[in-house]
Amino acid sequence: MLKINYSNIPKIIIALDFCNKKKAMKLVDLLNPSLFYLKIGKEMFTILGKKFINELHQLGFNIFLDLKFHDIPNTVFNATKAAADLGIWMLSIHASGGKKMLMSAKKALESFKEAPLLIAVTALTSFKQEDLKDIGIQMSLQNYILILSKLSYDCGLDGVVCPGKEAKKIKLLYGDKYKIVSPGIRCIHDSAFDQNQIITPKQAKNFPIDYIVIGRSITSSKNPIKKLNLIIQSMQ
Ligand code: C5P
C-alpha cells in the first residue's frame, strides 16, 4: 500500500457545507483532527452558531470560520473581535471591503495572544471574467486578484483566498509567509457545480498553495473518506 506523505502536499481544509449537524458529524467523526482542518461557512454557522464551533474545538479541530466579512470598518472591527473570541484558527474577510475595513479587522486582533490568521478573499472562485464586468469592473480577473492581494498585504493581512492558478505570482510578489488558500478543487470527473476557477488536486500540489479547500468533491460523494483518500493519493 502506498505510504501517504502529508508533508509535501498542501494542507487540506474540508468545507463542512451541510444543512444539519447530523450530516456534518457523520463526516467529522471519520476525520483525524491532526491531519485536516474544518471550514465552517455561512450555512452551518447560521444554523448552529458558536456552540458547534466549541464542540468541534473539543474534538481537537482547527476551525476556519469563513464568514467573509464585508461591512463598514466599525462593524467589521467588532465582528472580527467576536470571531476571534471563539478561538478559531482562521477567519475570512472580503478584500474588496477596502483599506479601512481591512485595517480595522487587523486592529481588532491586536489584543489577542493567539489571533486567528486573517485571510482576505480576492475574487470568488465561482467568478469568471463576465461576472466582474457585471459589477462594473473592466480589468482582467487576474489583475483584480493581484490588486486585492497587494491591498491585503499592505494592510498586514496573513494571506489571501484566490484561485490556485494565481498562487505562484502572489507568492513571488509577497513571499512565502503570505498564505494562499485555494478553493475550487476538483478531480477530473467531478462536477464543477458553481465553481469556475478550478484546479485538480494534482495541479494544486504543483502550485505554491498552503491550504486547499475541498467541499463538494468530498461531501457529495457516496463514500467521502474513500474520495478524500483518492484525492490525497493523487497528490503523492
Ligand atoms: O464545494 P466546493 O469545493 O466548491 O466548496 C468550496 C468552499 O469554499 C465553499 O464553502 C465556498 O464557500 C468556499 N469559498 C469559495 N471561493 C472563495 C472563498 C470561499 O468557494 N473565494
Side-chain angles (χ1 to χ4, degrees):
M1 209 172 112
L2 184 66
K3 194 166 173 345
I4 300 291
N5 182 355
Y6 286 91
S7 66
N8 64 352
I9 62 172
K11 297 197 168 58
I12 298 175
I13 302 174
I14 312 254
L16 273 193
D17 294 323
F18 290 103
C19 60
N20 65 49
K21 187 174 167 184
K22 197 174 164 201
K23 285 188 179 167
M25 291 313 291
K26 208 173 152 193
L27 175 59
V28 170
D29 285 340
L30 300 171
L31 297 171
N32 179 345
S34 62
L35 295 178
F36 305 106
Y37 300 80
L38 297 179
K39 184 176 88 66
I40 302 297
K42 292 184 168 90
E43 184 181 9
M44 292 237 86
F45 193 72
T46 304
I47 298 168
L48 298 168
K50 71 176 187 183
K51 201 168 161 245
F52 187 48
I53 304 278
N54 289 336
E55 283 175 35
L56 296 174
H57 277 151
Q58 271 164 21
L59 293 173
F61 287 97
N62 283 316
I63 306 294
F64 171 17
L65 187 60
D66 184 25
L67 296 182
K68 302 188 184 72
F69 291 150
H70 189 165
D71 212 314
I72 59 170
N74 181 62
T75 300
V76 167
F77 179 90
N78 291 324
T80 301
K81 254 189 150 170
D85 274 336
L86 300 175
I88 52 165
W89 157 73
M90 181 183 276
L91 176 68
S92 64
I93 176 170
H94 267 291
S96 57
K99 190 175 180 175
K100 289 190 187 120
M101 187 199 79
L102 292 170
M103 289 178 84
S104 285
K106 183 74 193 159
K107 191 149 186 51
L109 297 178
E110 274 175 14
S111 60
F112 288 84
K113 244 192 196 159
E114 281 184 54
L117 293 169
L118 186 61
I119 303 290
V121 176
T122 53
L124 294 169
T125 35
S126 57
F127 259 46
K128 44 186 176 194
Q129 191 62 47
E130 66 201 59
D131 297 302
L132 212 53
K133 218 171 155 200
D134 284 346
I135 56 168
I137 295 167
Q138 305 299 334
M139 73 177 76
S140 72
L141 189 59
Q142 194 189 39
N143 269 351
Y144 182 70
I145 290 167
L146 288 176
I147 284 172
L148 291 179
S149 297
K150 178 179 188 314
L151 179 68
S152 307
Y153 180 81
D154 290 345
C155 292
L157 269 73
D158 298 299
V160 284
V161 183
C162 71
K165 284 174 194 148
E166 311 307 330
K168 199 170 169 191
K169 220 170 205 166
I170 295 169
K171 280 281 187 190
L172 273 176
L173 286 164
Y174 305 114
D176 198 43
K177 279 192 186 156
Y178 198 51
K179 304 280 183 239
I180 304 278
V181 181
S182 292
I185 307 298
R186 291 291 184 271
C187 302
I188 286 169
H189 299 295
D190 286 346
S191 160
F193 297 103
D194 53 355
Q195 297 283 22
N196 278 299
Q197 306 299 323
I198 285 173
I199 55 168
T200 63
K202 205 170 175 181
Q203 283 175 304
K205 188 206 163 163
N206 294 318
F207 289 130
I209 297 170
D210 298 279
Y211 303 98
I212 51 174
V213 176
I214 314 178
R216 286 163 291 183
S217 257
I218 292 170
T219 56
S220 71
S221 160
K222 279 201 183 110
N223 188 338
I225 295 299
K226 191 173 167 198
K227 186 65 184 278
L228 178 57
N229 286 333
L230 279 174
I231 289 172
I232 295 166
Q233 274 167 25
S234 74
M235 288 192 283
Q236 296 298 303

